[in-house]
Amino acid sequence: MSRTDFTYVESVSPGSGRRGPRAALDSDAAALVLDGDWRFRLSAGLHDTTAGFEDPAFDAGGWDLLAVPSMWQMHDLDGEAPYGKPAYTNVVYPFPVDPPRVPDANPTGEYRRAFTLPADWPATGRTVLRFEGVDSAFAVWVNGTLLGDGKGSRLPTEFDATGAVRPGENTVAVRVHQWSSGSYLEDQDMWWLSGIFRPVSLVHRPDGGIEDVFAHAAYDHRTGLGTLRVEAPEGARVTVPELGIDVSAGETASVRVEPWTAETPRLYEAAVATGTERVSLRIGFRTVEVEGGLLKVNGRRILLRGVNRHEWDPDHGRTLSVATMRRDLEVMKRHNVNAVRTSHYPPDRRFLDLCDEIGVWVVDECDLETHGFVFHEWRNNPSDEPVWREAYLDRMARMVERDKNHASVIMWSLGNESHTGQNLAAMSAWVKERDPGRPVHYEGDWDSGYVDVYSRMYADHAETDRIGHRTEESTKDPALDEHRRGIPFVLCEYAHAMGNGPGGLSEYQRLFEEHERCQGGFVWEWIDHGVRRRTGDGREWFAYGGDFGEPLHDGNFVVDGLVFPDREPSPGLVEFKKVVEPVRITVDPGSRRITVENLRDFAGTGDLAFTWTVEDGGETEHTGRLDLPELDPGNAAIVQFPSPVADLGAPRGERWLTVRAVLAEDEPWAEAGHEIAWGQARLAAAPAPAPAGGAPAEAAGSGYRLGDAAFDALGRLTAIGGLELDGPRLDLWRAPTDNDLRSWHAPLADTWRDRAAGLYRLEHKVLGIEAGADGLTVATRVAAAGAEIGMGAVYKWTRDGDRLWLTVEVDPEGAWDFPLPRLGVRAALPKELDEVTWFGGGPGEAYADTRAAARVGRFRSTAAGLQTPYVFPQENGSRIDVRWATLSGGGRSLTVLGAPHFALTVRPWTSEDLEAAKHRTDLVERDRLYMNLDAGLQGMGSAACGPGVLPEHRLPARATAFALGFATGA
């Protein structure tokens, strides 16, 4: 290939000189890892490449050193960023849509390294150079000999290097192009990054060795027998010592086995051997089928409690360590996640090894997305262009052949958001012939003509209910209508986890459990794709689209995960864990019974211990272990309250019984005692405090006084018990969340900001102040400049001993035809009141439709600890159903009482500061704390990409009254 022969870059061919796809095998054949530092030069495009760089005699000593695997844009981002910067788009292509052509400005990385062939490298057989992943197109030379070129970034590529390698020192050279014709097939919602980003190795293929293996390991749930048949070269022997299997390749063996499931990931060590090579396998026996309109594994309907998982590391992009992959799966299992859709490409092959081991259902998705063509009404979309057929089939074959031996993979997915067309149908036909033991998935085939499950993304609750009843809208092709209504339904994406949210998880889960056909889904998505950065003074922040100066980007839409970029769980993941918990515990104080339901599909409850705790006013009174029989999947048990609970004396405050299901012993993903599920109920109520009068209010100087409470001339509280504060005053605003800001319809934030509402710029007008024998009454009207609508707010202050009471009566004026962000009061407090203790919902944040994980108890935090560090700052941190809260510090305290409850938010900055901030580091603590005490908060929904807030979780503007009590202490 000459310097100017770059036709492969824009050719629709998937590559040349490549070996056929095969399974990723653990072989004892010789191998040499080529990871490490390579010499590297980045050129501006094809016109700027280095002549003769592939020549072994070429001197690259002056080139940089770059780690392989890595992505070249992820280096030194806080310094000079010598290799360019990441760029993010969700759908739109970041180059002109002119397939298969790409721009002249095409950053191209030139890689070189020397390696020494081991002295004992076999002289016979073949030597193969294997790349696990290169983005996006590349060509390869060994010792100056061109081996070939390839595309398909997230797929393996092998070249036969036998005739090029030699004893002793060798040179490998690789030229990698950021843009190629393949980029049109890789328009996934993620950062555009480039390079040799997965491992590279030299592997020996011995004569008479094992080129490929396909292990068919089925399980018959009726007989308990596992059937093993292994496709391998003639003459190979297959052994599974634990099962006593020793057969020839191609022979079938049937023995009694323990089946593999995501709940019980039983694997058997097997070997396939010839005289020259031995391959190790881990076999999981299981059968996947669509039967009776349901997706079944081992004869049982399964319920997918899943997540979509991009590969992401905030420092390394899509280059992940095995330790990071394992951590992902451990955190998933700890939060009751049982399924992964590998959006939107096959993962690093080692991730699937871990899925087999730890136990997760996997929908393995092909490296295919052409979403950007949607802006052009899908004209020239490769999915329906015959010239692209080979590329489509090649990508499917490379995924299936690599991953076919994984028990965890239960469905093949053709790709994502590539519309529909003959090439997708051809992929489906190929895989059904090659591997009929797994169903085929693809969301874009709404008529379901070439898939085995009906898949949708972001169908709302009402539509999901109709699909569950099999009464959804008809197919475009009437001939397919009956077929589609007869197959299972999966939400391949739902509950978009962007920022604060997602709301509505509980309502989705109820539908999945009510309708057999609705077999769960996959939350979008697992991780925020933030890029770790640091300010000049060392403070950490995470970048998103636009932060690298991209002329075309989709902002923070790449930050939409259940874990933050540093892999710390978000409140959304904690909520998901509670909603999908595989054991349901119901405490019924009326009958004094506890019901435990096993919602697992396969496993009993023998691995769990059940404990109970009684708390009075948040303080533990009694604990114990609940005696329960082991429950088979789908079964339930009802037991009486433990005898100590029945013998409790009179309560001092609210008394609650909490029952927990925890791991009885260590698991590979969590230690004994890890909580799987919980349920609680109130055993005894406490008298709710109520406003009371008795002390007169009087004029004092330029303001008013009510006992030890001081008010200014406008009737605003300025001090209580000598503790200075500002407010509280009516507050209707919150820093908009991602779900408020984005929507497929009209974003709520636009309505709230609109000139007719202006909720972010409210003005307060005092209409009258009355100081009387029973307290102080302040009548006000709250409205925005330019707005006709307003809110009447009357503050009634009374004194009851050492408590100051505030009753707020709110009455909307005009046509408030939209929900409110919040309804409550806000006050500013001394900064030293930094320690917060409360009794109510916790320990984490909760809102109207994200409250399943909030349990009632007594909790403690600093003000900083109450903040949720969303990458894009927004409303956060509310604690729900608070009975009382005490803020203390500096030898002073302020207690707030609910009559009966309120939602509590305490921040070192204002809602306006939150709204103005674009990153965490934009938030600067003020010299005050800001406390919101809310009677109501609008729910979260997932309108950033999905349904909005359900009607029952909206906050309508209507006449409302709520009361709060205040007391100070030393």
Side-chain angles (χ1 to χ4, degrees), residues 217-232:
Y219 177 72
D220 188 333
H221 64 280
R222 294 171 293 269
T223 64
L225 294 178
T227 301
L228 179 65
R229 180 178 61 84
V230 177
E231 297 178 26

Side-chain angles (χ1 to χ4, degrees), residues 305-466:
R305 302 169 169 91
V307 296
N308 286 277
R309 176 189 176 270
H310 269 290
E311 292 185 302
W312 185 250
D313 180 280
D315 302 305
H316 307 292
R318 284 185 288 281
T319 299
L320 271 64
S321 69
V322 174
T324 297
M325 299 176 209
R326 180 178 288 276
R327 179 180 175 186
D328 273 350
L329 286 167
E330 289 172 350
V331 175
M332 288 179 193
K333 293 284 283 191
R334 290 173 197 154
H335 290 83
N336 296 329
V337 173
N338 74 353
V340 168
R341 175 182 176 224
T342 69
S343 53
H344 296 295
Y345 43 82
D348 187 303
R349 64 185 181 89
R350 296 168 295 182
F351 179 76
L352 297 179
D353 292 335
L354 294 171
C355 291
D356 291 344
E357 172 191 326
I358 291 175
V360 171
W361 307 119
V362 174
V363 176
D364 202 1
E365 191 149 274
C366 193
D367 189 9
L368 174 64
E369 181 166 338
T370 66
H371 202 174
F373 285 93
V374 70
F375 294 120
H376 311 284
E377 298 180 345
W378 297 106
R379 286 189 303 275
N380 300 317
N381 178 27
S383 295
D384 204 36
E385 297 288 337
V387 69
W388 291 93
R389 181 186 179 100
E390 181 188 0
Y392 274 57
L393 290 171
D394 174 82
R395 287 171 181 251
M396 195 68 190
R398 286 157 69 192
M399 173 182 71
V400 171
E401 299 295 0
R402 188 196 74 166
D403 298 341
K404 61 199 172 195
N405 294 316
H406 288 284
S408 56
V409 176
I410 61 169
M411 279 196 283
W412 301 117
S413 181
L414 304 180
N416 186 67
E417 292 178 316
S418 298
H419 202 228
T420 188
Q422 58 183 296
N423 295 332
L424 289 156
M427 292 167 74
S428 176
W430 179 88
V431 74
K432 284 175 178 292
E433 181 176 349
R434 177 63 175 134
D435 181 25
R438 291 180 175 97
V440 173
H441 166 276
Y442 177 62
E443 181 273 342
D445 182 17
W446 281 26
D447 273 12
S448 302
Y450 49 84
V451 295
D452 300 303
V453 299
Y454 178 31
S455 177
R456 290 282 303 281
M457 52 177 67
Y458 307 111
D460 64 20
H461 300 81
E463 185 178 5
T464 299
D465 188 39
R466 290 193 296 273

Side-chain angles (χ1 to χ4, degrees), residues 130 132 206 330 449 452 678 698 930:
R130 181 180 178 91
E132 299 290 349
E330 289 172 350
D452 300 303
W678 60 272
E698 56 187 12
Y930 297 87

Side-chain angles (χ1 to χ4, degrees), residues 623-686:
T623 63
R625 182 157 179 159
L626 192 68
D627 292 327
L628 275 175
E630 180 174 350
L631 300 175
D632 289 335
N635 286 0
I638 301 175
V639 297
Q640 294 292 330
F641 278 7
S643 55
V645 178
D647 297 335
L648 294 172
R652 301 182 305 277
E654 279 191 54
R655 178 176 283 158
W656 286 76
L657 171 60
T658 303
V659 180
R660 303 167 63 234
V662 302
L663 289 179
E665 299 179 353
D666 291 349
E667 293 285 351
W669 43 270
E671 295 180 349
H674 168 77
E675 183 178 275
I676 298 295
W678 60 272
Q680 69 171 187
R682 189 175 64 186
L683 302 183

Side-chain angles (χ1 to χ4, degrees), residues 117-376:
L117 199 68
D120 59 353
W121 194 267
T124 59
R126 313 300 295 175
T127 296
V128 171
L129 183 59
R130 181 180 178 91
F131 294 84
E132 299 290 349
V134 183
D135 194 323
S136 75
F138 66 111
V140 184
W141 293 259
V142 170
N143 296 326
T145 299
L146 176 66
L147 301 186
D149 58 81
K151 302 184 187 77
S153 299
R154 270 66 66 177
L155 295 160
T157 307
E158 289 187 341
F159 301 95
D160 191 332
T162 308
V165 295
R166 57 196 179 207
E169 185 170 289
N170 293 260
T171 300
V172 58
V174 184
R175 182 173 279 142
V176 180
H177 309 276
Q178 177 162 0
W179 309 124
S180 70
S181 62
S183 302
Y184 286 97
L185 308 185
E186 296 173 6
D187 188 28
Q188 292 98 336
D189 177 9
M190 60 186 184
W191 293 97
W192 293 93
L193 298 168
S194 317
I196 305 174
F197 72 99
R198 286 182 183 165
V200 183
S201 58
L202 200 70
V203 295
H204 180 243
R205 302 301 317 121
D207 291 336
I210 303 169
E211 184 63 17
D212 198 9
V213 169
F214 192 171
H216 303 271
Y219 177 72
D220 188 333
H221 64 280
R222 294 171 293 269
T223 64
L225 294 178
T227 301
L228 179 65
R229 180 178 61 84
V230 177
E231 297 178 26
E234 186 177 352
R237 297 294 297 179
V238 178
T239 56
V240 187
E242 187 177 354
L243 297 175
I245 293 176
D246 185 349
V247 296
S248 296
E251 289 185 18
T252 298
S254 293
V255 294
R256 187 165 296 279
V257 299
E258 299 173 48
W260 188 97
T261 75
E263 296 169 2
T264 56
R266 181 66 159 93
L267 294 170
Y268 293 90
E269 298 294 332
V272 182
T274 66
T276 59
E277 185 177 14
R278 185 180 189 275
V279 167
S280 298
L281 296 174
R282 295 190 302 176
I283 301 291
F285 291 87
R286 55 105 187 96
T287 296
V288 187
E289 60 187 341
V290 173
E291 180 188 48
L294 301 176
L295 174 65
K296 295 181 178 181
V297 177
N298 301 338
R300 294 184 181 177
R301 171 194 184 258
I302 62 171
L303 183 57
L304 301 170
R305 302 169 169 91
V307 296
N308 286 277
R309 176 189 176 270
H310 269 290
E311 292 185 302
W312 185 250
D313 180 280
D315 302 305
H316 307 292
R318 284 185 288 281
T319 299
L320 271 64
S321 69
V322 174
T324 297
M325 299 176 209
R326 180 178 288 276
R327 179 180 175 186
D328 273 350
L329 286 167
E330 289 172 350
V331 175
M332 288 179 193
K333 293 284 283 191
R334 290 173 197 154
H335 290 83
N336 296 329
V337 173
N338 74 353
V340 168
R341 175 182 176 224
T342 69
S343 53
H344 296 295
Y345 43 82
D348 187 303
R349 64 185 181 89
R350 296 168 295 182
F351 179 76
L352 297 179
D353 292 335
L354 294 171
C355 291
D356 291 344
E357 172 191 326
I358 291 175
V360 171
W361 307 119
V362 174
V363 176
D364 202 1
E365 191 149 274
C366 193
D367 189 9
L368 174 64
E369 181 166 338
T370 66
H371 202 174
F373 285 93
V374 70
F375 294 120
H376 311 284

Side-chain angles (χ1 to χ4, degrees), residues 474-491:
S474 297
T475 55
K476 291 181 180 179
D477 181 351
L480 293 171
D481 194 62
E482 183 178 353
H483 164 71
R484 193 187 69 185
R485 294 183 198 278
I487 59 178
F489 174 69
V490 170
L491 274 167

